[in-house]
Amino acid sequence: MKQITGTIILSFICVSTLLAQGGAKDEKKYKERAAEVQEEIWSSGGKPFDVIEVPSEYKNESAVVLAKMLEVTNSSKKKLKISLFGPGFATRLKYYTTLRERVKINDKAALDEFSTLEYKKNLNNTSSIFITKIVETYKTYVGAKVIKTDGKQFIVNADEEVLTKNEAKDKEGKLAIPNLQVGDILDYYIRIEEVTENGADTRGPNVFPLGGEYPILYYNVKYTLDKKCGADVMSMNGAKPIAQSENDDNDIVLEFTEKNLPKAKTPMWSCFARQFPYHVIRYGFLGASIVASPGNVKRGPFTELYKTKLKNYYTDKIRFRLVDFSVEKPMEEYFGGKKAMKELPSDSIINYLYNYYHWSKYPSLTNMNVSNEKNNGNMDWYDMAITFSEVLRDYDIENDIVLVCNRFSGRLNEIFGLGDIETFVKINHEGKYKWIAFNDFFHNTGQLPSAYQGENALVITREGRDRKPKFSDTELPIKLPVSKSTENVIAETIKVEFGKENMQLLTIDRSVTESGEMKQSDQKKLLTAQEVNDGFAALIGKMSAVEYLLDDKKTKAKAAELQTAIDKEKINQKDYFKDEINAQYDQYPKELISYQIVNNGFAVQKPVFEFKQKFTMENFVKKAGNNYILDAGKLMGTFSKVEEKDRTRTVDIYMSAARTLSYTFDITIPEGYTVKGLDEINKKTENDVASFTSTAKQSGNIVTITASRTYNSNYEPVSNWSKLLQVMDAASEFTEKKLLLEKKK
């Protein structure tokens, strides 16, 4: 033991001495390697990286990628390691990734984008356990050259980089491209060289869209993978399969090349994973989470494989008694015992369970972190589905587990990894289905998330009740229902008064009620973490977070600290309301007078989110002599007209949900003024896809304006785009509507 201790002390002294000298040596080695990389890259690439001309059809583009290549190589070698337990071997892996891009700069926007390269220069996570060193290093080399319009070239001096982070083992850099001008060509590269001894590391999935922000004349991606490595690949939405071969060392070579790729337009309400061509690659050595075995390539999708893995996972959870039944004791206490629960309607049990898990899985406040960023999390739907399902079975409530893909990811038959699958519970309840989902904290019991609506889904059913279950599944997918526009509603009532001293300053008293899929966004933004935690606690008879700390002598002292943190967050909540107003009207209020959460929307008996705000606003009223012009349509919020370039569409339309947005404005007209322009507001645009209706009337000194727009479905074929444009144009035109307040003579 003394000998080991002496070795450690001696090693520490040696390392301390060497560190003083090591920095200069490391920098010298880095520069030498940077020069080697530069020579290697500038001498490769071939004809595509000699191109200087842009095709005429791309002359007006902000930039054109003349050539782009990404090359990934890896290798593995056995290294002798000395440890306390004697000599042994470890596998040292090397990963080299090279990105090179040659870009023609056509305007100032592109010039601004490409004038600086930012990168992580050096990361060294090498660690030691006694005398054994575990290597993990990451180095980045960058280079660039500029080709001027007269053909002259100059290479950017990489030594002029600025280190934005400069720690002993972690450096980040930024390299400015001097003298880059519109009309020039920038040819740059980024090489990343990693060395690691973590053999179980999974690389990817790396997704390669066949198109980008700019047109691409030549695009090549090549992976050269060690023969001990395996890879999973998939090519989607019309992308040609990735070519596979072997080199002279029997390494795996995966490659694709594309030419003349136009700029990829991603229009509003679209789904990249289903509508645009792309490749995806995932790879690793033995122990990595991939489908392929070492030395092989497997082509996706892998739907059946991951469905089986998930069923096996659930089987093991039950067989090895890993399902958490701890909820049953507090639930039975809440309802007066298990015997009393037999008299309860199943809804009572389902609602309690749902609220309990929302409370227990919501991130704890007792660590004094009360930020409402917690609201953006979700529950582990894999574990929650089997847990909820098994607890329900303990109370004789029959149910199944549903496997589905988010409608903004790939389809059910296009699964590449387990993360593509989400799970929830389907309860067969009084002849109807009740859905229990776990993808956020703000859906209600029985509410099917909009991300699943209209999707094909697989149902797996547990057979038998013993601890050695078997899960069977439906032969054909089921089609999940789509909620109606009347179930997803935003209803706003706004009272408007002109300032007595300043007619151009409006006081707006706004009440908002949101239901269904229209409430989650504002719940996440406006509710504090304390309101969420304590809101769910109240539904299941639990104490608030502060009361919980006060109830225990060991934590009582922390209660005051938590209350202080909560009070500070309450002050921050005012900013959350200001941000919501800005998001609605594209400007902040001059003053936020008051704000209030009226109903949190958690209880199934009243599943609506309600809040109120009172604030003052400028820029809605213009003075015209003795008269005033009110931008009445702007009270609905911003709604921009679809630009001309986006009015032609080639892909189907994926909207968040079928929905209705309705607004009622009660505008108090000051004494001494008459109103003109009401007739211009009365309008109706309606078709079988959507509708927009607006009305205006006056009763005494109150002008009441209503506006309502409805989208009948969450999905429309591209053939209905023109019908949606009709309604969207009508809504945009409404925001331009004005009222003239004319001074009485």
Side-chain angles (χ1 to χ4, degrees):
M1 193 64 194
K2 289 182 180 178
Q3 185 176 1
I4 294 173
T5 305
T7 303
I8 295 170
I9 294 171
L10 181 60
S11 299
F12 178 77
I13 293 170
C14 291
V15 168
S16 300
T17 306
L18 289 171
L19 279 175
Q21 306 168 355
K25 282 186 177 180
D26 288 345
E27 187 62 24
K28 182 181 178 182
K29 285 183 179 179
Y30 179 87
K31 289 185 176 182
E32 289 173 352
R33 179 58 184 155
E36 293 171 358
V37 170
Q38 185 181 84
E39 184 178 356
E40 172 196 332
I41 292 176
W42 289 148
S43 62
S44 64
K47 291 183 178 180
F49 283 89
D50 293 332
V51 172
I52 59 174
E53 295 297 327
V54 172
S56 58
E57 63 264 33
Y58 298 142
K59 291 288 187 183
N60 295 324
E61 295 289 346
S62 177
V64 178
V65 179
L66 303 176
K68 180 177 182 178
M69 60 82 69
L70 177 79
E71 187 169 0
V72 176
T73 63
N74 70 0
S75 62
S76 66
K77 286 186 178 181
K78 296 280 188 182
K79 287 286 184 179
L80 180 66
K81 308 287 286 188
I82 305 297
S83 72
L84 294 176
F85 308 103
F89 286 92
T91 301
R92 183 169 294 180
L93 309 177
K94 291 184 178 180
Y95 295 89
Y96 286 9
T97 302
T98 306
L99 169 69
R100 184 179 176 187
E101 197 168 41
R102 186 177 175 93
V103 186
K104 178 68 181 293
I105 309 296
N106 283 341
D107 65 18
K108 188 177 184 303
L111 179 66
D112 292 341
E113 179 176 350
F114 289 100
S115 61
T116 305
L117 303 178
E118 296 186 17
Y119 50 92
K120 180 176 282 294
K121 179 178 180 180
N122 188 352
L123 179 65
N124 187 346
N125 285 330
T126 299
S127 58
S128 296
I129 302 175
F130 292 109
I131 60 173
T132 303
K133 186 164 72 171
I134 301 171
V135 174
E136 186 173 347
T137 62
Y138 176 111
K139 290 184 172 64
T140 301
Y141 306 94
V142 299
K145 59 183 176 181
V146 175
I147 299 92
K148 307 299 286 185
T149 53
D150 61 3
K152 292 181 180 179
Q153 300 186 24
F154 70 87
I155 293 178
V156 177
N157 183 2
D159 290 340
E160 295 179 1
E161 69 178 357
V162 175
L163 291 180
T164 56
K165 186 175 184 180
N166 188 12
E167 298 176 1
K169 292 190 175 185
D170 189 1
K171 300 180 189 295
E172 295 179 5
K174 181 167 68 173
L175 180 65
I177 310 298
N179 301 319
L180 186 66
Q181 297 175 314
V182 173
D184 291 346
I185 293 171
L186 172 66
D187 194 335
Y188 73 93
Y189 66 83
I190 300 175
R191 160 70 68 80
I192 299 170
E193 297 185 350
E194 299 174 74
V195 180
T196 180
E197 291 176 359
N198 180 11
D201 190 20
T202 302
R203 297 295 170 120
N206 305 135
V207 179
F208 300 100
L210 298 188
E213 186 178 356
Y214 307 111
I216 305 173
L217 302 190
Y218 174 85
Y219 183 27
N220 175 261
V221 172
K222 182 178 181 180
Y223 280 65
T224 303
L225 304 177
D226 189 283
K227 53 181 171 291
K228 297 174 186 175
C229 186
D232 304 332
V233 301
M234 189 166 73
S235 303
M236 298 303 299
N237 303 325
K240 294 177 291 186
I242 295 173
Q244 177 185 344
S245 62
E246 288 186 0
N247 62 15
D248 293 340
D249 295 323
N250 297 321
D251 294 328
I252 298 169
V253 179
L254 302 170
E255 186 173 14
F256 69 84
T257 301
E258 297 287 343
K259 297 180 180 179
N260 296 319
L261 291 173
K263 180 168 65 175
K265 297 179 182 179
T266 307
M268 65 184 299
W269 299 338
S270 58
C271 176
F272 167 81
R274 301 184 181 190
Q275 296 178 313
F276 301 94
Y278 67 93
H279 299 291
V280 57
I281 299 174
R282 174 179 61 209
Y283 61 103
F285 291 90
L286 184 66
S289 298
I290 63 174
V291 176
S293 57
N296 290 294
V297 175
K298 289 289 185 181
R299 294 183 181 268
F302 305 113
T303 299
E304 287 300 315
L305 173 71
Y306 284 109
K307 181 185 73 174
T308 300
K309 282 191 173 187
L310 194 52
K311 286 162 64 175
N312 291 340
Y313 172 73
Y314 286 158
T315 299
D316 289 343
K317 288 278 287 186
I318 298 168
R319 180 180 297 164
F320 298 112
R321 301 179 183 273
L322 299 175
V323 175
D324 182 7
F325 290 95
S326 60
V327 64
E328 295 186 357
K329 183 178 179 180
M331 180 168 63
E332 290 170 8
E333 290 175 352
Y334 180 83
F335 286 119
K338 193 166 187 175
K339 186 176 180 180
M341 289 180 64
K342 292 181 179 179
E343 306 300 321
L344 291 174
S346 59
D347 270 350
S348 297
I349 297 172
I350 295 166
N351 291 337
Y352 180 94
L353 285 174
Y354 199 64
N355 292 326
Y356 180 91
Y357 284 122
H358 277 64
W359 169 75
S360 64
K361 299 298 181 181
Y362 188 77
S364 173
L365 307 187
T366 56
N367 62 359
M368 307 303 151
N369 178 1
V370 296
S371 166
N372 78 343
E373 290 181 4
K374 295 174 184 286
N375 294 347
N376 296 318
N378 56 49
M379 291 174 274
D380 181 342
W381 47 68
Y382 300 125
D383 277 349
M384 282 308 309
I386 189 63
T387 301
F388 207 99
S389 175
E390 289 299 299
V391 173
L392 288 178
R393 287 181 179 278
D394 263 11
Y395 296 94
D396 298 320
I397 300 174
E398 293 299 319
N399 66 89
D400 302 307
I401 294 177
V402 183
L403 280 56
V404 68
C405 289
N406 187 304
R407 59 192 296 265
F408 292 100
S409 68
R411 300 176 182 85
L412 190 64
N413 61 346
E414 300 170 349
I415 289 171
F416 189 70
L418 187 60
D420 296 337
I421 303 173
E422 299 182 25
T423 57
F424 61 97
V425 172
K426 174 176 73 71
I427 301 171
N428 306 318
H429 180 66
E430 298 177 355
K432 296 181 180 180
Y433 293 146
K434 185 182 283 286
W435 316 100
I436 306 295
F438 313 102
N439 66 338
D440 73 10
F441 290 102
F442 299 101
H443 282 85
N444 296 103
T445 312
Q447 183 182 357
L448 182 66
S450 60
Y452 304 158
Q453 293 180 18
E455 289 299 293
N456 289 328
L458 290 172
V459 178
I460 59 174
T461 303
R462 179 183 169 183
E463 296 179 355
R465 288 183 172 272
D466 58 20
R467 294 293 177 182
K468 295 182 180 179
K470 179 183 177 184
F471 283 94
S472 62
D473 52 84
T474 51
E475 292 185 8
L476 296 173
I478 64 169
K479 186 85 167 178
L480 296 176
V482 177
S483 57
K484 299 177 182 177
S485 61
T486 52
E487 298 175 73
N488 308 305
V489 176
I490 294 179
E492 297 194 15
T493 301
I494 297 175
K495 295 180 180 179
V496 180
E497 293 185 353
F498 293 84
K500 292 180 180 179
E501 303 296 328
N502 177 8
M503 286 268 291
Q504 291 181 267
L505 183 67
L506 296 181
T507 298
I508 296 175
D509 195 340
R510 178 172 173 241
S511 297
V512 182
T513 301
E514 301 171 335
S515 65
E517 292 300 317
M518 305 308 289
K519 66 183 177 65
Q520 282 86 8
S521 177
D522 281 334
Q523 283 175 308
K524 292 176 183 179
K525 293 174 185 175
L526 298 179
L527 287 167
T528 65
Q530 175 259 333
E531 288 171 331
V532 176
N533 180 87
D534 295 354
F536 283 120
L539 293 176
I540 56 174
K542 296 290 184 180
M543 293 180 286
S544 71
V546 172
E547 290 170 341
Y548 177 81
L549 293 177
L550 286 170
D551 194 53
D552 189 332
K553 289 182 180 179
K554 295 179 180 178
T555 59
K556 196 171 183 177
K558 290 186 176 181
E561 184 183 352
L562 178 58
Q563 187 61 60
T564 299
I566 289 171
D567 292 342
K568 288 181 179 179
E569 180 66 3
K570 272 292 185 183
I571 296 172
N572 294 337
Q573 190 177 34
K574 186 172 186 177
D575 291 332
Y576 303 157
F577 274 84
K578 288 181 179 179
D579 289 341
E580 191 279 334
I581 293 168
N582 180 55
Q584 181 76 358
Y585 298 106
D586 198 25
Q587 69 175 84
Y588 282 96
K590 182 176 177 61
E591 180 187 5
L592 178 54
I593 300 168
S594 64
Y595 57 95
Q596 178 189 2
I597 303 292
V598 179
N599 186 64
N600 61 24
F602 297 169
V604 71
Q605 294 82 1
K606 193 177 181 183
V608 294
F609 182 55
E610 298 175 89
F611 63 92
K612 290 182 177 181
Q613 316 162 307
K614 189 172 184 179
F615 52 94
T616 58
M617 210 69 153
E618 298 176 315
N619 304 317
F620 277 70
V621 182
K622 296 181 181 67
K623 198 172 189 306
N626 292 326
N627 305 323
Y628 291 91
I629 299 170
L630 170 65
D631 285 327
K634 286 174 62 177
L635 293 168
M636 187 178 74
T638 57
F639 193 95
S640 301
K641 187 171 183 176
V642 178
E643 295 182 32
E644 195 61 39
K645 65 183 179 63
D646 296 321
R647 298 180 76 83
T648 300
R649 188 182 180 105
T650 59
V651 295
D652 292 341
I653 302 140
Y654 282 78
M655 292 181 280
S656 59
R659 60 208 183 278
T660 296
L661 301 92
S662 66
Y663 308 86
T664 300
F665 314 136
D666 289 329
I667 305 167
T668 301
I669 305 302
E671 187 176 351
Y673 288 87
T674 59
V675 180
K676 293 184 178 180
L678 296 179
D679 291 343
E680 296 296 318
I681 292 175
N682 293 300
K683 185 171 182 178
K684 185 173 185 178
T685 302
E686 185 175 21
N687 53 50
D688 59 339
V689 170
S691 64
F692 180 84
T693 304
S694 56
T695 67
K697 63 181 181 180
Q698 183 170 3
S699 177
N701 69 331
I702 303 295
V703 168
T704 299
I705 297 175
T706 68
S708 177
R709 70 180 186 271
T710 296
Y711 302 94
N712 296 334
S713 181
N714 66 349
Y715 168 87
E716 295 291 347
V718 67
S719 57
N720 284 339
W721 179 234
S722 60
K723 295 179 180 180
L724 278 171
L725 283 177
Q726 293 172 10
V727 172
M728 294 161 71
D729 287 347
S732 175
E733 290 168 9
F734 173 81
T735 63
E736 301 297 322
K737 296 300 181 184
K738 305 178 189 301
L739 294 179
L740 174 64
L741 277 67
E742 192 172 57
K743 185 76 173 178
K744 291 180 180 178
K745 296 178 181 179

